[in-house]
Amino acid sequence: MKAKIMNFEFEKTKLKNIFKEIEVNEKDGKVYVVLGYEDKNFDEKELKTQLMKYLKIDLKLPGAKIVFKDIVAEELYRNSILGKDNILYLLIASGKGGVGKSSVSANLAHAFNQMNYRVALIDCDIYGSSIPNIFNIEQYPPMIDNILYPANIDGIDIVSVDFLMRSPLPIIWRGPMLNRALNHFFYFTKYQDDIDVVIIDLPPGTGDVALDMAQFMPNAFQIVVTTPHLNAAAIAIKAGEMAKTMNQRVLGVIENMSYYLHNGEQLNIFGFGGGEVVANTLDVKLLEKLEISTPEDGSIYRENEANYSKYLKIASEIIKESNFRNSQ
């Protein structure tokens, strides 16, 4: 049976508006309290005390148990990019800054797009966002009624913290504000329909954002980016180990800035062997060694340029290793 909140004694109090309905399940003896909106700024202890009085005295259910059910959170999840089926979620991590992780994220997004996958690229490097610069996004996309609409470049949906701040000024935030930005990316952003691949450009380190991502996307895969230098490799390993601790699978390692090709000779400017060390330690594949080069136009490699075919190969290997099957 269901007891609508209009019949509830809280009707005359400030708490009346938090309810949508109260549902009593006579089969399992539980009472489900459905909240009516997102703001749950109330005294839960007081609520439970008065609810129990209502249940035991008015409804004569001495063994009833109270279970809070947040209908708003459920609806947000169902309608978000997190609540869709058949999406490949990829976290691009490095543990260390300066290894070209954002460049890898952007070119991977481009590679998947070239393979006819519908891609969303989310710049979660809150303090050092560079994805807008990589794609030459000078005008921020609109926000309407608190809903963010991504920039769309060559068919790729792109969001960044810059779009929320509406300013290129530096961000000085602590953990709770970081989580709030992530909530906006995942619950209050209108992505195009039928996204196949979501690529997350993570910040360096193993801090708040990486921890939050384990909650937002527990089924995500991680790609670890390193340079050949052994110092970078040692820190990149930490990012991979954290992913394993969070029960996320590391799909493989990309060694960026691996060598410089000069007159047919490979020059190891930034050291040698880091990619192998990370891959062997994490017991995953070394997906590719990327050449040091600069795309002719911006930061995205085009056909016939160095690394273009390598990114296509990496994307194909990710599809294979993740066992991802697109419905297209």
Side-chain angles (χ1 to χ4, degrees), residues 88-92 104-105 107-109 111-112 115 117 196-199 220-225 249-254 285-288 310-325:
L88 176 61
Y89 300 102
L90 294 175
L91 306 177
I92 312 301
V104 168
S105 299
N107 278 280
L108 263 184
F112 278 111
M115 295 166 63
Y117 291 96
D196 302 309
V197 181
V198 176
I199 297 177
F221 297 100
Q222 187 179 100
I223 304 295
V224 177
V225 180
R249 181 184 166 193
V250 181
L251 281 185
V253 175
I254 297 173
K285 284 188 177 181
L286 176 57
L287 297 173
E288 191 56 84
K310 291 188 174 183
Y311 274 109
L312 290 177
K313 178 186 171 187
I314 293 170
S316 297
E317 193 68 21
I318 288 172
I319 295 294
K320 177 182 174 184
E321 287 295 311
S322 64
N323 292 318
F324 178 69
R325 294 293 180 267

Side-chain angles (χ1 to χ4, degrees), residues 24-231:
V24 179
N25 189 322
E26 296 179 349
K27 192 178 226 181
D28 63 12
K30 291 183 180 178
V31 176
Y32 295 89
V33 179
V34 181
L35 303 181
Y37 62 90
E38 188 179 15
D39 185 4
K40 303 183 290 294
N41 202 6
F42 60 88
D43 188 333
E44 187 171 316
K45 184 176 180 182
E46 177 192 356
L47 174 59
K48 283 187 175 181
T49 299
Q50 296 197 45
L51 259 178
M52 289 306 294
K53 176 185 173 186
Y54 173 71
L55 295 170
K56 291 183 177 182
I57 297 176
D58 295 349
L59 296 183
K60 305 189 185 316
L61 295 170
K65 297 179 181 179
I66 297 174
V67 178
F68 284 95
K69 181 179 180 182
D70 191 339
I71 194 170
V72 173
E74 289 183 1
E75 286 295 325
L76 284 175
Y77 180 81
R78 255 196 308 273
N79 295 320
S80 76
I81 201 169
L82 300 175
K84 309 296 182 183
D85 293 328
N86 202 29
I87 290 182
L88 176 61
Y89 300 102
L90 294 175
L91 306 177
I92 312 301
S94 64
K96 189 180 191 308
V99 300
K101 174 179 48 55
S102 294
S103 177
V104 168
S105 299
N107 278 280
L108 263 184
H110 178 69
F112 278 111
N113 186 49
Q114 291 290 291
M115 295 166 63
N116 295 319
Y117 291 96
R118 204 177 290 268
V119 183
L121 174 57
I122 304 177
D123 184 1
C124 288
D125 194 346
I126 304 296
Y127 298 121
S129 58
S130 53
I131 293 297
N133 288 332
I134 289 175
F135 284 92
N136 297 314
I137 300 172
E138 297 180 354
Q139 185 172 356
Y140 298 138
M143 284 187 67
I144 303 173
D145 295 330
N146 202 41
I147 300 297
L148 177 64
Y149 288 78
N152 190 279
I153 306 297
D154 296 330
I156 303 171
D157 273 0
I158 300 171
V159 295
S160 170
V161 70
D162 291 358
F163 302 166
L164 296 178
M165 295 296 294
R166 323 303 289 180
S167 167
L169 295 175
I171 293 174
I172 306 172
W173 282 353
R174 291 187 182 274
M177 289 298 291
L178 301 179
N179 184 271
R180 189 172 179 181
L182 296 179
N183 268 284
H184 212 113
F185 289 156
F186 300 128
Y187 294 123
F188 300 98
T189 300
K190 180 65 176 175
Y191 297 95
Q192 58 186 317
D193 293 333
D194 302 323
I195 290 291
D196 302 309
V197 181
V198 176
I199 297 177
I200 310 292
D201 181 16
L202 290 178
T206 54
D208 289 332
V209 174
L211 287 168
D212 285 339
M213 291 311 305
Q215 296 181 335
F216 281 113
M217 295 180 173
N219 58 335
F221 297 100
Q222 187 179 100
I223 304 295
V224 177
V225 180
T226 185
T227 66
H229 201 285
L230 295 180
N231 287 348

